[in-house]
Amino acid sequence: MRVQTPLVIPALAAGFLSLTGTAFAQDAEAVARSLEATLSQGGKMTVSHEGEVSGGGDEVAINGLTLTPKDGGTVIAFDEVTLTGVAQEDDGYTADEIVFDGGSLSGDATGTIGNVRLEEATFGEKAEAEQETPGLLFHRLVGSDVSITPEDRSEPVTVSGFTMTSEDIVDGVPQTSQGSVEDLIVPGSYVPADQKMKPSDLGYDELAFDIEWAGSRDPESQDLKLDKMSLTLKDGGTLMIDGNLGNVAMPGADAAAQPMAGIATMNVSDFTLRYEDDSLTGRILDYFGKQQGMDGDKYAEQLAAALPFMLSAMQNADFQKEVSDAVSTFLRDPQSLTVAIAPDKPMSGAEILQIAGSAPQTLPDVLNVSVTANQNR
């Protein structure tokens, strides 16, 4: 199955800063043709409207806009697209807002999209393939009420809302980005049938997530600062990541084709992985404890007692004790567990992999790895 959502879903992972211009009267049909040409993504999509185009000046409305992938997939149709604050600049247009209302999906997936709003947007007069810059750029995206059901499913994945703000555009890629996804609901039926531990075993009829991120990249130094990346399972727990990485290549076809090459040349200055519990650990301990004929607390004690033996393969006595003490503390009273890396100097992925292969027992010391439990941030 292939689900293509050229406007909404990719917009959760990328955003763009607009250009600005001086408003003057615009021809509504010309604006509509330019937006449709841009949305065609260089011919990958057939974009058309069935209803009328109205307005003019700095406000244009397009009724019945449809985006159809040429190689199959999911068709997206909107009841109305409204552009406000329209102005012409260079070989394109800018708009204070472009609002896509009343979306519906058909084809490989079915569903609805309540509303998508692009703020400070810009698009060219020609098809994207004929432009030097990416077609549709925007500074901020806000969306709500998304429901998508793949053709092989009977229940939808839903999102109540999402936002994204992006700045510092270099070659069409934002260097600063932050955003969130609220109430991403995944039905329990999406878990494979052969999965031993299912959400229902832990007391979940569905999995409800919130996602947040914020970070920036310096295009000259190629340093990436990840201020926040968090995934929260409601009534479960939150996994958080932050850190500073160096020599991070610009996203693109080369990076996607050779991901290990990028990892090898990337360097780590500091990196923290933290989990804050909100009942998920207890649910898992109860599940496995029940299989052993005991409650979750007794199972936690059993695991804590076995940790020194389980960690002996590390061959690093000091680090083994640190990990054992932290994990045991967390199991007995699940609050938080934090793993932090802070080498004395930035280390490349290639150096880390070399040490892991030749002397893995020294890696915790070289990276200055610390493991702590139940400590405030």
Side-chain angles (χ1 to χ4, degrees):
M1 182 198 73
R2 178 176 65 259
V3 178
Q4 296 184 15
T5 52
L7 175 64
V8 179
I9 300 305
L12 297 179
F16 302 96
L17 181 66
S18 74
L19 303 175
T20 58
T22 302
F24 56 92
Q26 307 302 325
D27 176 78
E29 288 286 352
V31 172
R33 286 195 300 271
S34 296
L35 179 62
E36 291 175 5
T38 298
L39 291 174
S40 71
Q41 299 181 28
K44 296 178 183 177
M45 308 286 296
T46 297
V47 184
S48 61
H49 62 272
E50 296 180 356
E52 66 176 2
V53 175
S54 59
D58 65 351
E59 185 167 334
V60 174
I62 307 170
N63 290 301
L65 184 74
T66 302
L67 299 89
T68 305
K70 287 191 174 180
D71 60 350
T74 301
V75 177
I76 303 177
F78 291 97
D79 293 338
E80 184 176 55
V81 178
T82 305
L83 300 87
T84 56
V86 180
Q88 192 165 19
E89 180 173 304
D90 298 329
D91 59 349
Y93 295 94
T94 64
D96 293 340
E97 284 189 347
I98 304 177
V99 180
F100 297 79
D101 275 319
S104 62
L105 284 68
S106 60
D108 285 357
T110 58
T112 57
I113 303 168
N115 176 282
V116 177
R117 184 175 77 251
L118 310 182
E119 300 176 1
E120 299 179 48
T122 182
F123 54 95
E125 291 184 306
K126 302 176 182 179
E128 183 173 336
E130 301 173 25
Q131 301 181 56
E132 295 182 359
T133 59
L136 180 61
L137 312 180
F138 51 87
H139 172 57
R140 179 175 167 82
L141 176 145
V142 181
S144 63
D145 300 326
V146 177
S147 176
I148 301 175
T149 305
E151 61 182 354
D152 59 346
R153 299 289 183 178
S154 59
E155 296 180 278
V157 171
T158 61
V159 175
S160 67
F162 54 89
T163 63
M164 181 177 58
T165 302
S166 301
E167 300 178 285
D168 305 328
I169 307 304
V170 176
D171 296 331
V173 178
Q175 304 301 307
T176 300
S177 177
Q178 64 179 16
S180 64
V181 179
E182 301 172 358
D183 292 324
L184 168 61
I185 309 296
V186 181
S189 61
Y190 279 54
V191 176
D194 58 354
Q195 181 72 35
K196 291 185 178 180
M197 184 172 63
K198 297 180 174 60
S200 57
D201 296 325
L202 302 179
Y204 300 112
D205 294 327
E206 60 187 18
L207 301 176
F209 298 97
D210 285 337
I211 303 169
E212 290 186 77
W213 73 89
S216 59
R217 176 182 180 275
D218 186 322
E220 295 185 4
S221 66
Q222 294 192 322
D223 290 338
L224 174 66
K225 180 177 176 57
L226 185 59
D227 297 309
K228 182 178 185 179
M229 175 70 74
S230 69
L231 174 66
T232 298
L233 171 64
K234 294 187 178 182
D235 296 322
T238 300
L239 183 66
M240 293 174 282
I241 299 173
D242 62 70
N244 291 279
L245 306 174
N247 200 29
V248 180
M250 182 82 79
D254 293 340
Q258 296 181 315
M260 290 306 297
I263 293 173
T265 56
M266 183 188 304
N267 62 64
V268 180
S269 297
D270 60 83
F271 191 83
T272 301
L273 179 68
R274 178 179 173 87
Y275 172 72
E276 294 183 353
D277 189 65
D278 184 22
S279 83
L280 179 60
T281 302
R283 294 169 189 255
I284 294 174
L285 290 172
D286 286 341
Y287 171 80
F288 285 109
K290 184 178 181 180
Q291 293 184 338
Q292 300 295 322
M294 63 183 73
D295 62 25
D297 290 340
K298 288 185 178 179
Y299 186 70
E301 288 292 340
Q302 187 180 83
L303 279 179
L307 276 172
F309 173 75
M310 295 167 62
L311 298 172
S312 61
M314 289 184 176
Q315 299 181 23
N316 185 322
D318 291 340
F319 186 65
Q320 290 167 213
K321 185 177 186 308
E322 181 177 340
V323 174
S324 179
D325 290 349
V327 175
S328 297
T329 297
F330 175 77
L331 289 172
R332 294 185 174 109
D333 180 20
Q335 295 180 37
S336 67
L337 189 65
T338 304
V339 179
I341 298 174
D344 293 334
K345 63 179 182 177
M347 292 190 63
S348 70
E351 291 175 304
I352 294 172
L353 291 173
Q354 182 180 18
I355 295 172
S358 60
Q361 72 278 8
T362 68
L363 199 56
D365 299 325
V366 173
L367 292 175
N368 285 333
V369 181
S370 65
V371 183
T372 56
N374 301 349
Q375 293 188 6
N376 294 329
R377 299 195 72 184

